[in-house]
Amino acid sequence: MSLRESAISLLTDWQSPDPDQDALRHAVLAFLHSRPDSCERACAAGHITASTLVVDATAEKVLLTLHPRFGRWLQLGGHCEATDVDILAAALREATEESGIEDLRLDPTLAAIHVHPVICSLGVPTRHLDLQFIATAAADAEIAISAESLDLRWWPIGDLPEGTDAGLVRLVDAVRGNPQASLE
């Protein structure tokens, strides 16, 4: 199964939590079906990205990166790569690269979808159709700031940074309702 096929399968089977997320699910599925290049960064009409909210072993803190381009605290994630075997691999790769944590446990259930306009590496206005996941870090996990971040920090789940956007709040809310967000 290709990266694109895995995204189609994931979205086809996903039980979205509310009508807004279901509308996004249908829109992103239509995009995936209409564009064979939908998971490629070169797709100027927009492209699938994969992000991951990393939670600590107690599910009381979330790991956020201070994104250099946006100047905001965000979950980890980014563009899919040709080497990603599926959308889960893309999400896990991005989270591992940006956190420095090698043994993350990725929940394979889609947590949320977020679509946002952006000028990314293409240099032209486009859209990121972001498929968002949750991963858990072991209790002894050590983080390392990557070249893709200005800072990397654990935040209490109930005390997110000022100016946190609604998409990240939705993702954090998914952690609160996700009983598998902590290590057992």
Side-chain angles (χ1 to χ4, degrees):
M1 180 180 303
S2 71
L3 176 64
R4 179 173 162 263
E5 290 167 340
S6 74
I8 290 170
S9 177
L10 180 81
L11 287 168
T12 299
D13 296 340
W14 187 50
Q15 297 297 310
S16 51
D18 60 54
D20 290 339
Q21 286 287 285
D22 200 45
L24 282 176
R25 181 180 76 84
H26 284 285
V28 174
L29 267 171
F31 184 78
L32 279 158
H33 282 294
S34 70
R35 298 292 305 233
D37 61 346
S38 57
C39 293
E40 298 172 20
R41 177 189 317 228
C43 183
H47 40 269
I48 300 296
T49 55
S51 68
T52 304
L53 182 65
V54 175
V55 299
D56 73 334
T58 65
E60 293 177 2
K61 292 186 255 180
V62 295
L63 185 63
L64 301 179
T65 181
L66 183 55
H67 196 283
R69 184 173 294 216
F70 300 120
R72 292 181 298 166
W73 291 97
L74 300 171
Q75 73 276 4
L76 310 173
H79 292 104
C80 298
E81 301 291 343
T83 56
D84 295 324
V85 295
D86 60 25
I87 195 67
L88 296 172
L92 184 58
R93 177 189 50 75
E94 282 289 332
T96 301
E97 287 175 359
E98 294 184 11
S99 70
I101 303 171
E102 292 295 328
D103 58 351
L104 291 169
R105 289 187 35 201
L106 184 72
D107 183 337
T109 306
L110 185 64
I113 304 168
H114 190 263
V115 176
H116 52 275
V118 64
I119 297 177
C120 65
S121 58
L122 295 174
V124 297
T126 187
R127 291 173 299 163
H128 282 175
L129 296 88
D130 195 34
L131 303 184
Q132 302 177 326
F133 299 89
I134 298 168
T136 305
D140 60 352
E142 293 187 29
I143 61 174
I145 298 173
S146 76
E148 299 179 45
S149 178
L150 296 175
D151 198 359
L152 188 66
R153 188 179 312 168
W154 290 106
W155 292 85
I157 201 165
D159 190 21
L160 297 176
E162 187 173 324
T164 299
D165 71 27
L168 180 53
V169 170
R170 175 186 292 277
L171 194 51
V172 170
D173 286 345
V175 171
R176 291 179 174 148
N178 183 358
Q180 296 181 321
S182 63
L183 293 173
E184 296 167 6

